[in-house]
Each structure stands twice: as C-alpha cells, then as structure tokens.
Amino acid sequence: ETGVTQSPTHLIKTRGQQVTLRCSSQSGHNTVSWYQQALGQGPQFIFQYYREEENGRGNFPPRFSGLQFPNYSSELNVNALELDDSALYLCASSRAGVYEQYFGPGTRLTVT
Amino acid sequence: ILNVEQSPQSLHVQEGDSTNFTCSFPSSNFYALHWYRWETAKSPEALFVMTLNGDEKKKGRISATLNTKEGYSYLYIKGSQPEDSATYLCASDRGSTLGRLYFGRGTQLTVWP
C-alpha cells in the first residue's frame, strides 16, 4: 500500500448538501492533489495544495474547495452537491519537485 | 493530440500470453509520463515515471518505453499472470502545475487462468 489514506470509503448525500472528504498524506510529503473520477472517465485534476496554499486548479467550480493542514493532511469540500458530483474522489501525495505521486484508495461519493 | 488516450479500452488474454498497451499524449510541453496499475478497491500503484525520450524502464515482467517526440508510450507485460489483472492508467505531466496529471481512461486487463 501507498501509505495514503482517505476517509470515508463511501458516502451517500442528497443534492444540495455539503460534503467533506479527508486525506492523510504519506510521511514526508508536503503536496496533496485531488482528482475526480467519474464513471467511464480517467481521473480529472481538481486542485493541488502545497504548504497549505492552493497551488493550481483544474476546471472545477468554486463550490469545490480545499484545505491543507500543518501536518500536510488535506480536506476536499464540495458545497451545493449536484447529481454529476457522484464519482470516486482520489487524493495523491508527493514531495514538491519529485515526480512520483502516491494515491489513496479513494472515496466513493453518491449524490441522490 | 489534445488529450491522453489509451488503447485498447479492454483486453482479455490467457495466462502466459504477452501483451502490450498504448498511451498517446500531447508531445508539446511534455514533462513526465506516469504509468499506474490499479486493482479494484485498492490504491493506484505507481509503476513507472518516465521523462526522457527513448527511456525504457522495467519492473519484473512489466516494461515501458517512451517516445516524447511523437507522443506515445508502450507498456508491455511478458507472460501475463492472473494477478496482472487490473486497470493500467497512464498520465502525462505537462509541468504547468508540477504534479498535475492528465490521465487517460485506462486499459482494463483480464488474464484468464
């Protein structure tokens, strides 16, 4: 395993609600990236956090937001959930300047 | 090529067969090419990171090659085993946000005993 953990494993929410997903990065890693994988698609980059600051964002609306904490763990928050937000959410941790990224197992979000 | 594309989408082989998949990616602004192996309900496992044109990497029975000028990479599995069954993802890093990966949809490999 990669040493990257995510919680919860599965989550069911109703349209319009808010959700928080969590990611604990591998020891020594200071960068966390979040990805969304919709059914039948490859993972899509949401944003990246480095030293508690957002360091790049993909084509996702502002209702997708994040945080990174001093211990480099991270949260992904999604407000006003829509049905299309149903997906697998992956986080990946890495050290700045190093190519390798290590992924967690993902959180499966279902919006009904 | 604007996006990362992988072929075939799925592949079914017999144990002992050798197989290969293709990843095509934009050759402009190339920084690195990643290969991951992903079993259901597990974390994607990093196989290779390749950066130089002509690069060849090997890990056991799995190897990969890279052509950055024409924008493609091949992944080879020699003597496939049932435990090789997984989805194989490739992703390009264009260096705009270091570590921002552009993924293909993956090749789903099933190896029958």
Side-chain angles (χ1 to χ4, degrees), chain B residues 2-3 15 22 42 44 46 48 59 70 83-84 93-97 99 101-102 104 113:
Chain B
L2 297 178
N3 299 316
E15 183 175 355
T22 303
K42 293 189 177 180
F48 306 112
K59 186 176 184 178
E70 296 182 40
E83 57 264 32
D84 294 329
D93 184 338
R94 299 175 193 169
S96 52
T97 296
L101 300 182
Y102 295 82

Side-chain angles (χ1 to χ4, degrees), chain B residues 49-79:
Chain B
V49 181
M50 308 172 78
T51 59
L52 299 175
N53 186 45
D55 226 356
E56 291 188 29
K57 295 213 171 180
K58 188 174 180 181
K59 186 176 184 178
R61 293 179 291 99
I62 306 176
S63 60
T65 61
L66 179 67
N67 183 321
T68 61
K69 293 184 179 178
E70 296 182 40
Y72 65 84
S73 176
Y74 295 134
L75 187 79
Y76 301 92
I77 301 179
K78 184 178 178 182

